[in-house]
Amino acid sequence: MKETDLLTVSEVAGRSGFAASALRYYETEGLISSERTAGNQRRYHRQVLRRLAFIKAARNIGLGLEEVRSELDLLPLGRTPTKADWQRISRDWRGRLDEQIQALERLRDGLDSCIGCGCLSLRRCAISNPGDVMATRGVGGAGFLPPLLRRPI
Ligand code: FES
């Protein structure tokens, strides 16, 4: 492979939309890889752009880093997702988005009962219990939320 087939950090950053620091981070986390020049500078194969596009899409869907890693690990030999891979994965993600949308709709509907209320009751207010404290006891409004929409306090 000619050295001109390899991309610099700034080229990859410019084309992918990720900051150079994000590229280093993803490389440290093993999601992408690079080669080093004789001067110890990073060079990326062009296919890294498709892998980064996949990472960006996954993050936009709301996948955490470990979930992104799991998806990428499913690909043989760590290769870049193909069109067929993407069709399978995007089908799965559609289900995930549907679940998120339904959870947000339930949350919005729960908010309707808060308007003019103001009780902020941990027992019955779905909005004031986002950490799902009461759900662990089998009661409480945070049951409105699936795990992926629950945020730690
Ligand atoms: S503030 Fe009373 S139910 Fe949410």
Side-chain angles (χ1 to χ4, degrees), residues 110 113-114 117-121 124-127:
S113 65
C114 291
C117 175
C119 72
L120 294 174
S121 166
R124 68 184 191 96
C125 179
I127 308 303

Short mmCIF file of all heavy atoms in Angstrom, two decimals, residues 110 113-114 117-121 124-127, ligand 1:
data_model
loop_
_atom_site.label_atom_id
_atom_site.label_comp_id
_atom_site.label_asym_id
_atom_site.label_seq_id
_atom_site.Cartn_x
_atom_site.Cartn_y
_atom_site.Cartn_z
N GLY A 110 -46.94 11.60 30.94
CA GLY A 110 -46.83 11.73 32.39
C GLY A 110 -46.67 13.18 32.80
O GLY A 110 -47.19 13.60 33.83
N SER A 113 -49.77 15.24 33.53
CA SER A 113 -50.40 15.20 34.86
C SER A 113 -49.67 16.09 35.86
O SER A 113 -50.19 16.39 36.93
CB SER A 113 -50.46 13.76 35.38
OG SER A 113 -49.15 13.27 35.59
N CYS A 114 -48.42 16.50 35.52
CA CYS A 114 -47.67 17.38 36.41
C CYS A 114 -48.10 18.84 36.28
O CYS A 114 -47.93 19.62 37.21
CB CYS A 114 -46.18 17.32 36.09
SG CYS A 114 -45.42 15.74 36.49
N CYS A 117 -49.79 20.67 38.98
CA CYS A 117 -49.73 19.83 40.18
C CYS A 117 -48.63 20.32 41.12
O CYS A 117 -48.90 20.91 42.15
CB CYS A 117 -49.49 18.37 39.81
SG CYS A 117 -49.27 17.29 41.23
N GLY A 118 -47.38 20.06 40.76
CA GLY A 118 -46.26 20.54 41.56
C GLY A 118 -45.92 19.69 42.76
O GLY A 118 -45.08 20.06 43.57
N CYS A 119 -46.50 18.52 42.89
CA CYS A 119 -46.23 17.70 44.09
C CYS A 119 -44.81 17.12 44.07
O CYS A 119 -44.21 16.94 45.12
CB CYS A 119 -47.25 16.58 44.19
SG CYS A 119 -47.03 15.27 42.97
N LEU A 120 -44.28 16.80 42.90
CA LEU A 120 -42.97 16.17 42.75
C LEU A 120 -42.84 14.92 43.63
O LEU A 120 -41.78 14.61 44.15
CB LEU A 120 -41.84 17.16 43.04
CG LEU A 120 -41.72 18.32 42.05
CD1 LEU A 120 -40.68 19.32 42.51
CD2 LEU A 120 -41.39 17.81 40.65
N SER A 121 -43.92 14.23 43.78
CA SER A 121 -43.94 13.04 44.62
C SER A 121 -43.12 11.92 44.01
O SER A 121 -43.30 11.56 42.84
CB SER A 121 -45.40 12.57 44.78
OG SER A 121 -45.42 11.26 45.30
N ARG A 124 -45.59 9.05 43.01
CA ARG A 124 -46.52 9.03 41.89
C ARG A 124 -46.13 9.91 40.71
O ARG A 124 -46.76 9.85 39.66
CB ARG A 124 -47.93 9.40 42.36
CG ARG A 124 -48.09 10.83 42.81
CD ARG A 124 -49.51 11.05 43.36
NE ARG A 124 -49.80 12.45 43.56
CZ ARG A 124 -50.42 13.22 42.68
NH1 ARG A 124 -50.84 12.72 41.55
NH2 ARG A 124 -50.63 14.49 42.93
N CYS A 125 -45.07 10.71 40.85
CA CYS A 125 -44.70 11.60 39.75
C CYS A 125 -43.62 10.95 38.88
O CYS A 125 -42.50 10.73 39.32
CB CYS A 125 -44.20 12.94 40.29
SG CYS A 125 -43.71 14.05 38.95
N ALA A 126 -43.97 10.68 37.62
CA ALA A 126 -43.04 10.02 36.70
C ALA A 126 -41.86 10.92 36.36
O ALA A 126 -40.78 10.44 36.03
CB ALA A 126 -43.77 9.65 35.42
N ILE A 127 -42.06 12.22 36.45
CA ILE A 127 -41.00 13.13 36.04
C ILE A 127 -39.98 13.35 37.15
O ILE A 127 -38.79 13.53 36.89
CB ILE A 127 -41.61 14.50 35.62
CG1 ILE A 127 -42.72 14.29 34.61
CG2 ILE A 127 -40.53 15.42 35.07
CD1 ILE A 127 -42.31 13.54 33.35
S1 FES B 1 -45.63 17.10 39.90
FE1 FES B 1 -47.33 16.04 40.70
S2 FES B 1 -47.46 14.31 39.41
FE2 FES B 1 -45.69 15.29 38.71
#
